[in-house]
Amino acid sequence: MFKFYKRREPPPDLREVTDFSSAAASGGKIVPFKLDQAAVSDQEAACVGLQPIRDWRAFGLQGYPGFIFISNPFLRGSQAFWVRQCLKTYSQKPNVCNLDMHMSPSDTQDIWARSVQAIRSPISVKRQPKTLLERLRWVTLGYHYNWETKTYSANSCTPFPADLHMLSVRITAACGFPGFSSEAAILNYYRSDSSLGIHVDESELDHSRPLLSLSFGQSAIFLLGGHQRQDPPTAMFMHSGDVMLMSGPSRLLYHAVPRILPAPPQHATCLEELSCALALQMGSVLEPVSEEDWDVCSRYIQSSRVNMTVRQVLGPGQIFPLQTDDKHRMVGCHDDGNSGKRKRTCSDPGGL
């Protein structure tokens, strides 16, 4: 199935791909999912750019208990802020990215500033090699995932972004998971020819908390499989603004992204409207996106997709054994010992 949807010639038949955004989303294996409307007030939702919970279109899939799909719950125009955060803010130090693996820290200090001029260049102007932003493939936040050992550790941690934590807490609470702690995130940056191989997210020490996924930009085909790699998967579209939760029996299912697709007309229109003005609520984490910033963001997402997966790494009372051999610059996070709640506080053994 992965090879079928990834192939270029002949292009795959997409008629069997589930589309939660269509009017027929209530048929087949798709079932409505009841959200906890009392868990998040309208103002709390608006403060992170979300519609009132009662207006969300949330679904489950027969045969996949614990899987929740929410079809673009964002307010019109609010995606612009989150796209800009992914491209301009979250890519900055002290967060870790794929470019750090073969470039010096000084060369990856401000990926956005080093890229904007070339991205703004007219199409008629001959472009230099790809900018750093176009070469960006992943960024890690909070507890930094080690791609070699496939683990997290206490000595490779930076403060988790407060705005993304608030967004994650509101979504998970509405889905029936109060008290979610955003401790790590992996941001994947997809170009039109990118894919994500078959895998399962199992490195977190606590699997009782959901895996939260948010997508922006172009569309993608997402394959949701079973507990064995060879289990036949269900294919579904993910469009800009769509949200997924994998929890309970679905938390450790194999999944993959074999193909990035141009956004269909109704979603392409949504992308064009990302920068419209928002009436910001008191206490909102959202900020207006300048025309200059949006010019860069819109050019980028015309052919790209960004996905954020947020996860809670530790269960109540769990801690990491201290390690000192991590290859990244290290900042340790620890439990504050108060009422069983983990506080995202940092020590600085690495001299940052």
Side-chain angles (χ1 to χ4, degrees):
M1 289 284 282
F2 183 88
K3 292 179 178 178
F4 172 77
Y5 284 113
K6 187 178 180 180
R7 78 185 186 195
R8 298 294 165 178
E9 295 296 337
D13 185 345
L14 304 181
R15 286 178 294 181
E16 297 300 316
V17 180
T18 299
D19 191 347
F20 289 93
S21 67
S22 70
S26 58
K29 298 173 63 176
I30 300 175
V31 295
F33 180 82
K34 186 176 181 180
L35 298 163
D36 185 355
Q37 297 185 20
V40 182
S41 69
D42 291 359
Q43 182 176 357
E44 288 173 331
C47 283
V48 290
L50 296 170
Q51 302 172 34
I53 310 302
R54 61 181 174 275
D55 295 333
W56 294 11
R57 298 176 65 242
F59 307 97
L61 272 180
Q62 291 182 3
Y64 295 93
F67 176 76
I68 305 168
F69 192 104
I70 306 170
S71 182
N72 186 14
F74 289 89
L75 292 167
R76 181 186 174 191
S78 67
Q79 289 186 51
F81 171 78
W82 295 110
V83 171
R84 190 200 63 182
Q85 293 299 88
C86 291
L87 299 181
K88 183 177 182 179
T89 305
Y90 300 153
S91 62
Q92 304 305 318
K93 294 291 168 281
N95 299 327
V96 179
C97 71
N98 62 293
L99 301 176
D100 296 322
M101 303 299 102
H102 51 83
M103 298 177 67
S104 68
S106 60
D107 290 334
T108 60
Q109 186 62 38
D110 196 338
I111 293 173
W112 174 271
R114 292 170 178 264
S115 305
V116 292
Q117 184 174 355
I119 292 178
R120 287 196 184 113
S121 300
I123 298 176
S124 58
V125 175
K126 185 176 180 180
R127 285 283 301 273
Q128 298 297 315
K130 287 184 179 180
T131 65
L132 294 181
L133 192 57
E134 292 166 325
R135 292 163 57 192
L136 195 61
R137 292 296 175 265
W138 55 261
V139 167
T140 55
L141 311 175
Y143 288 120
H144 298 291
Y145 184 69
N146 186 312
W147 300 90
E148 294 182 355
T149 64
K150 301 188 185 319
T151 61
Y152 300 94
S153 65
N155 57 7
S156 185
C157 176
T158 52
F160 195 92
D163 52 7
L164 182 55
H165 171 64
M166 185 179 293
L167 174 65
S168 303
V169 166
R170 301 283 157 82
I171 295 174
T172 51
C175 292
F177 295 93
F180 180 80
S181 181
S182 312
E183 295 176 330
I186 298 177
L187 280 60
N188 287 307
Y189 300 79
Y190 297 84
R191 306 298 286 174
S192 59
D193 58 351
S194 300
S195 62
L196 181 66
I198 305 164
H199 68 285
V200 59
D201 292 85
E202 59 183 357
S203 297
E204 296 73 31
L205 275 65
D206 181 15
H207 297 150
S208 68
R209 310 303 284 170
L211 182 71
L212 171 65
S213 170
L214 307 105
S215 293
F216 302 104
Q218 297 302 306
S219 299
I221 293 177
F222 179 79
L223 298 180
L224 182 64
H227 290 285
Q228 303 297 322
R229 186 181 178 92
Q230 65 271 23
D231 291 341
T234 294
M236 62 194 79
F237 289 113
M238 291 189 69
H239 301 301
S240 191
D242 286 347
V243 175
M244 293 192 315
L245 269 87
M246 296 173 66
S247 67
S250 292
R251 173 63 177 80
L252 296 176
L253 296 182
Y254 278 91
H255 53 280
V257 179
R259 195 181 190 94
I260 305 302
L261 299 166
Q266 66 271 30
H267 297 283
T269 301
C270 174
L271 293 178
E272 293 169 0
E273 296 175 346
L274 287 181
S275 60
C276 73
L278 274 173
L280 299 181
Q281 298 284 326
M282 182 73 69
S284 175
V285 302
L286 305 185
E287 300 170 347
V289 178
S290 69
E291 291 185 10
E292 293 79 10
D293 283 358
W294 183 243
D295 181 47
V296 176
C297 292
S298 61
R299 288 173 185 262
Y300 181 91
I301 63 171
Q302 282 174 6
S303 59
S304 302
R305 169 180 180 258
V306 181
N307 175 260
M308 297 191 287
T309 54
V310 183
R311 62 281 311 276
Q312 180 170 329
V313 178
L314 298 170
Q318 286 184 313
I319 59 172
F320 289 113
L322 183 63
Q323 300 175 10
T324 58
D325 57 353
D326 196 278
K327 69 190 293 184
H328 304 306
R329 292 178 297 177
M330 298 175 290
V331 179
C333 293
H334 61 273
D335 193 310
D336 72 346
N338 294 324
S339 304
K341 296 181 179 179
R342 281 181 307 283
K343 184 179 182 181
R344 284 179 293 277
T345 54
C346 294
S347 58
D348 188 4
L352 273 178

